[in-house]
Amino acid sequence: MTTKPWPVYARCVDTQNPADIAQRIAELRREHRELDEAIAQWVASDPETDEVAIKRMKKRKLWLKDCIARLESALIPDEPA
């Protein structure tokens, strides 16, 4: 029996356990919020910010948002057609 590798967003998350998924979602949301605050502070404090670093941080934020959406969809039970 072969198992599928876990997607990166679900690393160390039991996708069959809603409590694990909810906990991981909370962690990802916290990281997303912290990145948002860090970007805002960095841009506000230094008008000549490193554009590449800001783009990387924003890309990470988008990746986190995608991970959150995928995990939230895992919480929705499949309904028969």
Side-chain angles (χ1 to χ4, degrees), residues 9-31 33 67-76:
Y9 64 87
R11 186 178 313 148
C12 300
V13 175
D14 179 6
T15 56
Q16 301 303 313
N17 185 346
D20 285 348
I21 295 172
Q23 180 181 359
R24 183 67 179 147
I25 289 171
E27 292 168 1
L28 293 172
R29 282 186 177 150
R30 183 175 54 252
E31 184 180 349
R33 197 171 36 251
C67 292
I68 292 166
R70 289 175 194 239
L71 286 171
E72 285 175 338
S73 72
L75 289 174
I76 301 170

Side-chain angles (χ1 to χ4, degrees), residues 33-46:
R33 197 171 36 251
E34 289 170 357
L35 266 176
D36 193 35
E37 292 168 2
I39 291 169
Q41 287 177 356
W42 198 2
V43 170
S45 68
D46 184 12

